[in-house]
Amino acid sequence: MTKRRIPMPPRWLLFVLGILPAVLAIGIFAFIARFQLAHDEARCPFEERETRDVASGLRVREDARRCLPEIEEHRWLVLRDGHEPLELGRFPLEAEQITAGFPWSASVDDGRAVVTVTNEGRGDLVFREPDLSAPH
């Protein structure tokens, strides 16, 4: 009984299989870096879209930016007289959502600003101002 030797695969195949994980890791890193750099505030600042009066001394402002062609990011800020703007939340819109648009409303609940964003087919997003008087 003779032992049958299993033939070695070609060297080029071993090279490709050995280098594939490194190429994938570099590709993932490049994708993450592109996304993070594109959404850097200094490189791609928000622009004011709309400001709505909600109550006396309380307004909500919507800002937006498009740092990548396929994504438009929106954020909502609470503007109170005598205070710095406070970000309530952010929401990225994918390309197919951008053209459809989305309505949003601002209200006051228990003295705190509330923004409700209607996201068709995915339910409403609700951003609430934190209770700044509560102990941390």
Side-chain angles (χ1 to χ4, degrees):
M1 181 154 119
T2 60
K3 282 192 173 182
R4 205 164 161 210
R5 239 182 112 160
I6 300 173
M8 285 291 291
R11 286 185 185 239
W12 65 266
L13 181 61
L14 293 175
F15 178 76
V16 168
L17 291 175
I19 202 165
L20 187 61
V23 171
L24 287 174
I26 291 169
I28 291 169
F29 178 74
F31 174 79
I32 291 171
R34 175 183 176 251
F35 188 80
Q36 291 299 325
L37 286 175
H39 288 88
D40 177 29
E41 292 277 342
R43 293 175 185 242
C44 184
F46 280 95
E47 295 178 5
E48 184 177 332
R49 284 282 172 92
E50 180 181 3
T51 302
R52 297 183 186 177
D53 291 322
V54 182
S56 178
L58 173 64
R59 297 176 318 280
V60 173
R61 186 178 79 205
E62 175 194 22
D63 295 343
R65 66 182 179 177
R66 188 179 289 189
C67 306
L68 297 171
E70 62 273 9
I71 298 174
E72 184 172 283
E73 186 176 19
H74 291 251
R75 74 175 177 189
W76 290 267
L77 302 164
V78 173
L79 307 173
R80 288 188 178 274
D81 293 344
H83 293 85
E84 290 291 315
L86 175 68
E87 184 175 322
L88 287 184
R90 293 181 184 210
F91 181 61
L93 289 172
E94 296 168 358
E96 65 272 4
Q97 293 174 292
I98 295 170
T99 55
F102 61 99
W104 64 277
S105 63
S107 60
V108 177
D109 182 22
D110 200 24
R112 301 180 340 201
V114 178
V115 171
T116 304
V117 181
T118 303
N119 187 10
E120 292 296 327
R122 298 180 183 172
D124 291 346
L125 294 170
V126 179
F127 301 115
R128 296 181 186 280
E129 183 179 18
D131 186 359
L132 300 177
S133 65
H136 297 286

